[in-house]
Amino acid sequence: MRLEAEKLCAWYGAAQILFDVSLNVGEGEVVALMGRNGSGKTTTMKAVMGIVGRREGSISLDGVETIRLPSNRIAHLGIALCPEERGIFASLNVEENLLLPPKVKDGGLTLEQIFTLFPNLKERLSSQGTKLSGGEQQMLAIGRILRTGARLLLLDEPTEGLAPVIVKQIGRTIAELKGRGFTILLVEQNFHFAATVADRHYVMENGRVVDMIPNAQLEANMAKLHEYLGV
C-alpha cells in the first residue's frame, strides 16, 4: 500500500499545526519522520488517520482520496496507527488486547505468526496488559495492529524509553515486516535507530517538511541533521 500527502494542513481547534506537508511512502518502503518535539510529526500521522479536528489538502492511499473520509472508513482501506502511548487496556490480558481490534482486511497475521515475531507475548498471554514491561507493551501494541490486515503501519516513537536490547528487537521486527511487504511510516527521535531501518527520512520543523534525506545520503548530511534535530 502506498501513501501520498500533498499540501496537507491540519488544525487543533483554531491553531494550525501542519502547513502544506507533502510526503510519500511507496509500497513496501520504510520512511521515517524526524524532527524536534512539537514539529508536527505525530499530528501528521493523526491527520493521515483522520483523527484531527480539521484537515485540508490531499491524502491518498493506493490512489483513493481520503481527506473527506471519516477515520473508520480510512482504517478499512488497510491502515493502522500504533500510538506513542501504546493504548494498552489495563482491564484486559495480553490475549484479549491482541484480539480486541476488528479485522479491516484479509491477510492479517495470525496469533502464532505474531508470537514468532514476539515470543515474549506468548509467555505472558494471560498477564494483564499494563503489567508488562515497556518493551513488552510496545510488542503488544505492534502485534495488535498486525492482526487487523492493515498493510500500511504508522508507528509513533516505537523505541521511546526502551532498553537497547528491545530496540534491536523492534528493529528486527520492522525489517521482517518490510520483507513481508508492509509499508511503514514511523516517527522516530533516535536517528541512529532510524538509519538502521528506514529507506528515507523526512525532516519536519514548525509543522512543515523542510528536507528529505535518502538513507544512503544520511552520513553525508549528518551535520545538517544534527542542526535540524538540535543534537
Side-chain angles (χ1 to χ4, degrees):
M1 172 168 278
R2 70 185 188 278
L3 164 68
E4 295 176 88
E6 291 290 336
K7 295 188 177 300
L8 175 62
C9 300
W11 289 258
Y12 291 136
Q16 186 172 356
I17 308 299
L18 300 183
F19 301 84
D20 293 330
V21 169
S22 295
L23 57 84
N24 65 84
V25 188
E27 185 169 355
E29 193 176 27
V30 177
V31 170
L33 272 182
M34 296 194 291
R36 303 185 193 199
N37 289 334
S39 60
K41 306 182 300 295
T42 294
T43 302
T44 298
M45 286 195 164
K46 289 182 175 181
V48 170
M49 285 299 303
I51 52 176
V52 295
R54 175 186 167 200
R55 57 190 190 142
E56 294 180 359
S58 173
I59 303 173
S60 67
L61 302 175
D62 275 351
V64 177
E65 179 58 58
T66 67
I67 199 72
R68 301 291 172 227
L69 295 182
S71 57
N72 63 315
R73 290 274 306 279
I74 293 171
H76 277 81
L77 293 172
I79 180 173
L81 169 66
C82 182
E84 180 182 1
E85 63 275 12
R86 298 172 186 145
I88 304 302
F89 288 89
S91 61
L92 304 180
N93 65 26
V94 168
E95 183 175 22
E96 291 165 338
N97 267 284
L98 281 172
L99 295 175
L100 184 64
K103 292 186 177 180
V104 296
K105 279 184 174 293
D106 293 331
L109 270 60
T110 65
L111 287 183
E112 283 305 316
Q113 288 173 316
I114 292 170
F115 297 148
T116 299
L117 286 173
F118 302 121
N120 303 50
L121 296 183
K122 190 170 187 178
E123 298 169 6
R124 304 294 304 274
L125 210 53
S126 60
S127 299
Q128 185 180 345
T130 50
K131 297 294 186 185
L132 304 182
S133 69
E136 288 169 336
Q137 288 189 39
Q138 186 63 67
M139 296 173 196
L140 177 55
I142 295 174
R144 189 170 55 185
I145 64 174
L146 295 176
R147 262 197 66 258
T148 66
R151 301 297 295 177
L152 172 56
L153 309 179
L154 307 180
L155 307 181
D156 194 355
E157 298 278 14
T159 69
E160 184 180 28
L162 301 185
V165 65
I166 304 299
V167 171
K168 288 182 180 179
Q169 185 173 359
I170 298 296
R172 289 194 297 269
T173 298
I174 291 173
E176 170 75 14
L177 295 174
K178 175 181 169 66
R180 294 180 183 222
F182 284 87
T183 303
I184 299 173
L185 177 64
L186 71 147
V187 165
E188 189 50 67
Q189 292 280 65
N190 182 349
F191 69 86
H192 295 294
F193 171 78
T196 68
V197 297
D199 299 296
R200 293 184 293 118
H201 310 265
Y202 285 100
V203 183
M204 297 193 71
E205 281 187 350
N206 301 317
R208 294 175 169 85
V209 169
V210 295
D211 210 341
M212 191 283 289
I213 306 172
N215 202 55
Q217 298 175 19
L218 205 57
E219 192 71 31
N221 286 276
M222 200 59 70
K224 183 165 61 171
L225 193 58
H226 281 150
E227 186 176 338
Y228 284 140
L229 302 180
V231 296

